[in-house]
Amino acid sequence: MKRRVNFFWILYGIVLAVLFLLSSTDLIIKEEEAEIYPISVIVGDTTDDNYVNFRKGMERAAIELNGDVNFITLYEKGSASQQKELILREQEDGSRALIIDPVEAGMLAGMQKETRFTVPVILINAQREEAEKTENTACITFDYYGMGRMLGEEIIKERSPEAAVYLLKDEKPDVAEGLFARGLGDRLMEADCEMTSFTLPAEGEPEQILEELTLGRSRKAVLAAANPESLLMAAELLADAEGAAKWVQGLYGRGNTVPVLNYLERGIIRGLCVTDDFSAGYLSVKTAVELAGRRSVMSSAEDMGYLESHYIRREDLRNEKYEKMLYPIE
């Protein structure tokens, strides 16, 4: 009887030991380790001010899909040579996929011809045709040309016939800005509305804008900004300028940043083109992980289409649909 009791105690101890090993170690049943995908994101700007919602989307996708995202900015805004160097550096350092916001149209195709890519490439804010002509690439973008036309349509509806239209642009426009400005100009030209381009002065001299635009002014002006930085600078100037409402009929542009949205709320910006940057960030990482995981030559750009964009006014900021898009919860 005593021997039988000892046997059960020994058996009980063995069962406990096995259960402990199963629950706390991988000596018996090894868990399959999730593969981590290093992904480098290289933009054409020196800051991430215009990528806040985009980064939120990327971070969400990275958590859900085991991505390890490295977000990289340039030292000099709009420098194609520097962006190319960073692309090659990140590829050599072990990145499994590259997400690129190209500063120049055709840059990817040029590098592809030189056979300089060994990992999948996902373009953002670029022309879809550039990704469609290359292998192992995809494009996550918005219809910036269509957005420009959409803004032009609104300006045509709201401006008085005598008002002059000024396009505020950057000295080194990126791909998105170039497409947006072209769409805006084409739509205004179709309506026989003349548009004058105005390159913003260097940082620290924004008062030149007011001096040059108001010099000899005999009619009102409509200001349209081709990029978020120009729009924010113009809004700040109009907010501080006395009597600006007497000669500026309206300020329009594109952008999603909180300062820009605040100026729309205050009525200084009259109309705004906005994009679903959170979805763009999420889809870019999702596509990067899929391409890196398959390790095959493919192109999903043809099936992607353009992502969602809208034209909003001040009253639309209280619309639940736009609130979710512009202020996404992390």
Side-chain angles (χ1 to χ4, degrees):
M1 187 69 182
K2 185 177 180 181
R3 189 177 299 171
R4 185 179 297 176
V5 171
N6 290 337
F7 172 77
F8 279 115
W9 276 111
I10 293 171
L11 181 62
Y12 181 68
I14 293 172
V15 171
L16 287 177
V18 171
L19 291 174
F20 173 77
L21 291 173
L22 286 172
S23 63
S24 60
T25 70
D26 58 358
L27 294 176
I28 299 175
I29 300 177
K30 293 187 178 181
E31 283 189 27
E32 185 178 349
E33 293 186 6
E35 187 173 7
I36 304 299
Y37 298 92
I39 300 168
S40 296
V41 183
I42 305 169
V43 300
D45 210 335
T46 55
T47 71
D48 66 348
D49 292 348
N50 295 319
Y51 297 88
V52 174
N53 288 348
F54 185 85
R55 293 194 67 169
K56 289 180 181 180
M58 286 196 311
E59 290 163 4
R60 173 74 65 82
I63 292 171
E64 295 180 1
L65 304 171
N66 301 320
D68 182 14
V69 176
N70 182 24
F71 191 91
I72 302 166
T73 58
L74 303 183
Y75 299 111
E76 179 185 349
K77 181 179 178 180
S79 172
S81 60
Q82 188 182 124
Q83 191 174 48
K84 289 179 182 178
E85 290 177 8
L86 291 171
I87 288 170
L88 296 175
R89 184 196 74 182
E90 291 302 305
Q91 184 175 252
E92 292 172 0
D93 288 348
S95 178
R96 295 280 300 278
L98 300 172
I99 299 174
I100 305 170
D101 186 356
V103 298
E104 288 183 357
M107 187 177 76
L108 175 71
M111 295 184 71
Q112 196 81 21
K113 287 179 182 178
E114 299 171 10
T115 322
R116 308 192 77 175
F117 289 115
T118 58
V119 298
V121 175
I122 293 84
L123 292 177
I124 57 173
N125 301 329
Q127 300 183 71
R128 294 185 67 247
E129 294 79 7
E130 191 167 355
E132 292 173 356
K133 294 178 182 178
T134 56
E135 296 179 335
N136 211 23
T137 62
C139 189
I140 312 294
T141 190
F142 303 93
D143 183 6
Y144 287 103
Y145 178 82
M147 287 170 57
R149 291 187 63 88
M150 179 167 56
L151 182 62
E153 186 68 34
E154 297 299 328
I155 290 175
I156 292 168
K157 290 178 185 176
E158 298 178 358
R159 69 178 277 271
S160 56
E162 72 279 2
V165 179
Y166 288 88
L167 174 68
L168 307 180
K169 63 178 185 177
D170 197 1
E171 187 176 359
K172 294 181 179 180
D174 57 20
V175 177
E177 180 177 344
L179 290 170
F180 183 83
R182 183 156 58 89
L184 174 62
D186 287 351
R187 182 65 191 95
L188 292 177
M189 186 168 54
E190 290 170 4
D192 294 325
C193 177
E194 184 180 351
M195 181 179 73
T196 302
S197 295
F198 187 93
T199 302
L200 290 179
E203 187 176 351
E205 304 174 357
E207 61 276 2
Q208 281 185 236
I209 301 173
L210 290 179
E211 291 177 5
E212 294 190 31
L213 288 179
T214 57
L215 187 63
R217 174 158 304 287
S218 59
R219 56 178 179 161
K220 287 193 173 184
V222 171
L223 307 182
N227 60 72
E229 295 87 354
S230 299
L231 179 61
L232 181 59
M233 182 181 291
E236 290 171 346
L237 287 170
L238 295 182
D240 295 336
E242 293 184 9
K246 294 180 180 179
W247 60 273
V248 176
Q249 191 178 79
L251 172 62
Y252 302 83
R254 66 178 181 92
N256 290 27
T257 64
V258 172
V260 165
L261 295 174
N262 287 341
Y263 280 115
L264 180 66
E265 173 72 33
R266 292 171 57 183
I268 294 173
I269 296 175
R270 188 165 181 176
L272 189 63
C273 289
V274 295
T275 51
D276 187 0
D277 290 356
F278 182 91
S279 294
Y282 187 95
L283 285 173
S284 64
V285 171
K286 181 177 183 291
T287 305
V289 170
E290 289 176 350
L291 290 176
R294 290 170 185 167
R295 297 181 183 178
S296 62
V297 178
M298 63 171 290
S299 175
S300 58
E302 295 179 3
D303 303 323
M304 189 72 67
Y306 289 117
L307 299 185
E308 195 175 2
S309 60
H310 302 274
Y311 176 81
I312 64 171
R313 298 179 179 83
R314 179 180 183 179
E315 56 269 22
D316 295 319
L317 290 172
R318 296 293 175 265
N319 186 311
E320 184 178 354
K321 173 184 176 181
Y322 299 125
E323 277 188 329
K324 289 180 179 180
M325 187 180 74
L326 298 172
Y327 306 101
I329 300 173
E330 297 183 53

